[in-house]
């Protein structure tokens, strides 16, 4: 079964609204989670690294005020797309690494498909 | 800047065919290369390669790494329709620390297997 859960799996919203996506590690603690974005027919692009108890670190070109990340507990990170616009429509995927294991045990969530009308 | 390039970008075959997917990379502080399979949702892990010349196998899938040529291939023999997916190649961006898990992905190869 899934060890990293994302919710919601699909969301449709109006332009200008904010949308929150949750990423949970189900049976392990993750001090670090990663948020990726995938546009249709393109690969995954890392957006930011979510750090439990501290600020997220964003990749170049990703607006931190646009994509708010909160990692308030060892099992939950949230990504909030603020004032969403149609160009933010994308597939958002989180991943988490189980402590003590190599990158081979990097688990991905099922993804959240955002459509902004 | 780390770079991962996959080829071909798409491939259409018939059941029973054998396919070879390619991945080349340029990365500082190379540690490993990863292959994932993505079917509509999140990627699922296939292989992690760290050493040159050692083939990893899982059923009909196998993969090998050439660290001298900065290249990896993923082979699928006797393809089935269920192999239809996007195959992604990725390398970690850093050698360690809390950032271990930041991956640079290639563009992916879209494999379509017809009955």
């Amino acid at each position: 079964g899934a060890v990293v859960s994302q919710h919601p799996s699909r969301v449709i919203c109006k332009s200008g609204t904010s949308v929150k996506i949750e990423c949970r590690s189900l049976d392990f603690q993750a001090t670090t989670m990663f948020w990726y974005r995938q546009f249709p027919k393109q690969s995954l692009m890392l957006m930011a690294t979510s750090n439990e108890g501290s600020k997220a670190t964003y990749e170049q070109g990703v607006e931190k005020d646009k994509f708010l990340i909160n990692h308030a507990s060892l099992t939950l990170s949230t990504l909030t797309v603020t004032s969403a616009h149609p160009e933010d429509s994308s597939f958002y995927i989180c991943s988490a690494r189980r402590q003590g294991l190599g990158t081979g045990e990097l688990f991905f969530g099922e993804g959240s498909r955002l459509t902004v009308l | 800047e780390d770079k991962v390039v996959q080829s071909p970008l798409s491939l259409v075959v018939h059941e029973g065919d054998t396919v070879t997917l390619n991945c080349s990379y340029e990365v500082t502080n190379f540690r490993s290369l990863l292959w994932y399979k993505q079917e509509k949702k999140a990627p699922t892990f296939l292989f992690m390669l760290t050493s040159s010349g050692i083939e990893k196998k899982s059923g009909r899938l196998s993969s090998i790494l050439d660290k001298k040529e900065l290249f990896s291939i993923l082979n699928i023999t006797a393809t089935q329709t269920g192999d239809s997916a996007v195959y992604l190649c990725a390398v970690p961006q850093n050698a360690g620390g809390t950032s271990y898990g930041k991956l640079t992905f290639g563009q992916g190869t879209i494999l379509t297997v017809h009955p």
Side-chain angles (χ1 to χ4, degrees), chain A residues 43-89:
Chain A
S43 192
L44 282 77
M45 297 294 293
L46 180 67
M47 297 175 65
T49 302
S50 174
N51 304 299
E52 188 268 334
S54 64
K55 290 182 180 179
T57 52
Y58 291 81
E59 296 300 300
Q60 195 171 13
V62 178
E63 301 173 59
K64 60 182 180 182
D65 295 330
K66 172 78 173 174
F67 299 99
L68 299 179
I69 290 172
N70 185 278
H71 195 150
S73 79
L74 286 170
T75 58
L76 175 64
S77 174
T78 60
L79 169 69
T80 301
V81 183
T82 61
S83 186
H85 291 286
E87 57 266 29
D88 299 323
S89 299

Side-chain angles (χ1 to χ4, degrees), chain A residues 12-18 83-88 115-117:
Chain A
I12 301 172
C13 69
K14 290 183 179 179
S15 186
T17 59
S18 294
S83 186
H85 291 286
E87 57 266 29
D88 299 323
T115 302
V116 184
L117 302 176

Side-chain angles (χ1 to χ4, degrees), chain B residues 1 4 9-11 51 56 60 64 68 78 84 91 96 106 112 115:
Chain B
E1 186 181 320
V4 179
L9 294 181
S10 66
L11 193 54
S51 302
K56 294 220 170 175
R60 295 176 293 102
I64 198 162
K68 185 179 175 187
S84 296
V91 293
T112 304

Side-chain angles (χ1 to χ4, degrees), chain A residues 9 32 34 36 38 41-46 49 51 57 59 91 93 95 97 101-104 106 108-111 113, chain B residues 6 32 34 36 38 40-45 48 86 88 92-93 97-108 110:
Chain A
S9 59
T32 307
F34 305 91
Y36 291 84
Q38 185 176 35
K41 299 195 186 299
Q42 295 188 27
S43 192
L44 282 77
M45 297 294 293
L46 180 67
T49 302
N51 304 299
T57 52
E59 296 300 300
F91 193 53
I93 305 177
S95 69
R97 183 170 72 91
L101 298 177
T103 307
L106 187 67
F108 284 86
E110 308 99 318
R113 189 167 300 283
Chain B
Q6 290 183 247
S32 60
L34 303 144
Y36 289 88
Q38 187 179 25
K40 297 198 188 284
K41 290 198 172 181
T44 53
F45 172 76
M48 180 170 75
V86 177
L88 296 165
Q93 290 186 7
T98 58
S99 57
Y100 201 70
K102 293 171 65 172
L103 300 178
T104 300
F105 282 88
Q107 322 92 304
I110 302 171

